[in-house]
Amino acid sequence: MIPRIHVIGLTLRFPSLGVTVRCAVAIAVIMVWSSLSLAQSPEFSQGNDAPDMFNPAGPNAESIQEIFWVVIGICAVILGLVGTTLIWFIAKYRERPGDNSEPPQIYGSRAIELAWTLAPLLTVTLLAVLVIATVIKLRADPPSTAAHRVRVVGHQWWWELNYPDHGFTTANELVIPVSEPDLAKPIYLQLESADVCHSFWVPRLAGKTDCIPGRTNSMWIQAGEPATYFGRCAEYCGTQHAKMLIRVDCVSQADFDKWVENQKADAVSDDSVAAGRDRFMEMACMNCHAIRGTRAAGEFGPDLTHLMSRKTICSGLALNDRENLTRWISKPDDLKKGCRMPDMRLTEPDVKLIVDYLLSLK
Ligand code: CUA
């Protein structure tokens, strides 16, 4: 039987057990639990690659960081003033032994009324002006015309990435060229959704922008150093919302060009894996996945034309290798509970053939 829990603020009471867990313990439990669940995703096991909000790597993230510290600064001054006055008054006007007299009763004071109306009004106006100025800056066009376009479509629970200028589609791992000091290379993102609301968020590059069904939003990102930037879906979108990771691989222009050339090509046709390819086409796989150069043209799941050029599968959940592909195809629900890829109940030999074929899609 599940014990009844009363939640009062951050105090948890278990009446049947006679136990009360107080604030600090409840916070500690929540922190340990959340760090354990974060530790399960591969990006966290690969070192310091957690999304970092305090280390901007592009102009938009820098503007957000600046306004963040200005707002924190203003709030800190207010906290300091209010806190000091509060403590000072508590000490100064404390009840003293033997003094039972009534304090002076004040009714109406224009000066005080004006002070506590104007001070907050001016503070809130100042904050609003600063924030609106930043929003206008963020919404402005990127500083260069040498921009690439990428159409980002949020799906339950993965990201479709379409490069319309080059005519190919990939998934979950956005590859962009690095900006040079004298040549900015911003990437325009057109954000859409195929099902419910998602939100595209790579904190080191820019703020969050929602992907809303039936609407196209836009934003731009730019990165000044070659690195991998991690992001995630920032709008609750169902069971696997937490496992909808984004990788932005920022690479040199030469590597980017090479990558684009490879992505533009049709899938390699390797006769040594023909049996696996046939199984893939006979099963329902081809109804949901596209592999350019073959009959498979489904759009419901990720494009697999160059699957092996991606480092992870299941939207950043697992490394893209034989072992994980085998797990994923044999029992999708084991890796990603509630995922939209059905369990095809493939036999072990079939799984092996199909995995062999997928591994050939470089
Ligand atoms: Cu997609 Cu949350």
Side-chain angles (χ1 to χ4, degrees):
M1 194 191 86
I2 301 165
R4 277 204 311 163
I5 309 174
H6 295 174
V7 182
I8 306 134
L10 270 174
T11 303
L12 309 179
R13 248 177 226 154
F14 301 82
S16 54
L17 304 172
V19 177
T20 301
V21 183
R22 292 237 179 264
C23 197
V25 182
I27 291 173
V29 169
I30 291 168
M31 283 174 73
V32 170
W33 174 74
S34 55
S35 56
L36 282 178
S37 52
L38 286 178
Q40 290 170 354
S41 37
E43 59 178 303
F44 289 93
S45 57
Q46 281 170 24
N48 303 319
D49 297 328
D52 186 351
M53 283 168 281
F54 299 100
N55 185 13
N60 280 347
E62 274 157 21
S63 306
I64 292 170
Q65 168 110 321
E66 277 162 28
I67 187 74
F68 173 78
W69 287 119
V70 169
V71 170
I72 289 285
I74 294 174
C75 294
V77 170
I78 297 171
L79 179 69
L81 284 175
V82 173
T84 334
T85 319
L86 186 67
I87 293 167
W88 177 38
F89 275 39
I90 288 173
K92 186 167 177 202
Y93 298 107
R94 69 188 181 278
E95 187 181 25
R96 287 163 214 269
D99 178 7
N100 292 323
S101 64
E102 175 111 333
Q105 304 295 302
I106 302 165
Y107 297 98
S109 161
R110 185 160 295 166
I112 293 176
E113 296 276 356
L114 274 175
W116 71 41
T117 307
L118 285 181
L121 189 68
L122 290 175
T123 314
V124 173
T125 311
L126 174 68
L127 287 173
V129 168
L130 291 171
V131 171
I132 291 168
T134 306
V135 170
I136 290 173
K137 200 162 125 193
L138 293 177
R139 297 222 41 102
D141 284 344
S144 153
T145 49
H148 293 270
R149 288 185 302 153
V150 180
R151 203 173 130 249
V152 177
V153 186
H155 291 255
Q156 281 175 321
W157 291 276
W158 60 282
W159 301 93
E160 176 186 339
L161 307 169
N162 170 246
Y163 288 64
D165 303 327
H166 303 294
F168 63 80
T169 299
T170 175
N172 305 320
E173 299 180 8
L174 182 63
V175 179
I176 64 169
V178 66
S179 283
E180 284 139 37
D182 50 351
L183 180 59
K185 291 175 186 163
I187 317 294
Y188 282 103
L189 301 179
Q190 259 175 273
L191 301 154
E192 295 165 26
S193 167
D195 35 48
V196 299
C197 290
H198 304 271
S199 183
F200 185 90
W201 186 38
V202 183
R204 290 195 63 199
L205 299 181
K208 301 164 183 168
T209 306
D210 284 357
C211 303
I212 300 166
R215 190 193 149 96
T216 303
N217 280 340
S218 66
M219 69 187 290
W220 61 276
I221 54 170
Q222 183 182 313
E225 52 178 291
T228 301
Y229 302 100
F230 290 95
R232 47 194 57 229
C233 179
E235 176 82 39
Y236 182 70
C237 54
T239 322
Q240 289 293 346
H241 154 72
K243 304 277 172 61
M244 204 173 150
L245 312 180
I246 307 153
R247 276 173 84 102
V248 179
D249 277 322
C250 178
V251 298
S252 70
Q253 184 67 50
D255 285 349
F256 179 74
D257 293 340
K258 230 184 332 177
W259 179 81
V260 167
E261 276 317 303
N262 184 49
Q263 298 293 318
K264 274 158 76 176
D266 279 353
V268 254
S269 177
D270 180 350
D271 283 340
S272 70
V273 291
R277 183 169 58 228
D278 292 346
R279 294 308 287 144
F280 186 95
M281 301 303 161
E282 288 155 18
M283 311 299 296
C285 315
M286 61 168 281
N287 296 332
C288 291
H289 295 281
I291 298 179
R292 258 179 301 123
T294 72
R295 285 187 293 128
E299 288 182 347
F300 192 71
D303 185 302
L304 303 178
T305 310
H306 298 286
L307 172 67
M308 295 319 291
S309 70
R310 308 203 279 263
K311 294 179 188 72
T312 58
I313 53 169
C314 310
S315 206
L317 182 58
L319 290 172
N320 186 9
D321 55 23
R322 175 180 288 277
E323 193 195 335
N324 287 329
L325 281 171
T326 306
R327 267 177 80 198
W328 176 230
I329 294 169
S330 338
K331 229 171 182 333
D333 244 29
D334 272 3
L335 209 52
K336 203 165 188 176
K337 193 120 200 89
C339 71
R340 296 285 189 243
M341 184 159 99
D343 183 347
M344 305 301 296
R345 300 182 191 281
L346 299 171
T347 60
E348 230 171 272
D350 275 350
V351 169
K352 192 182 169 301
L353 285 176
I354 292 178
V355 169
D356 283 343
Y357 171 53
L358 294 178
L359 287 169
S360 79
L361 300 174
K362 300 265 175 356

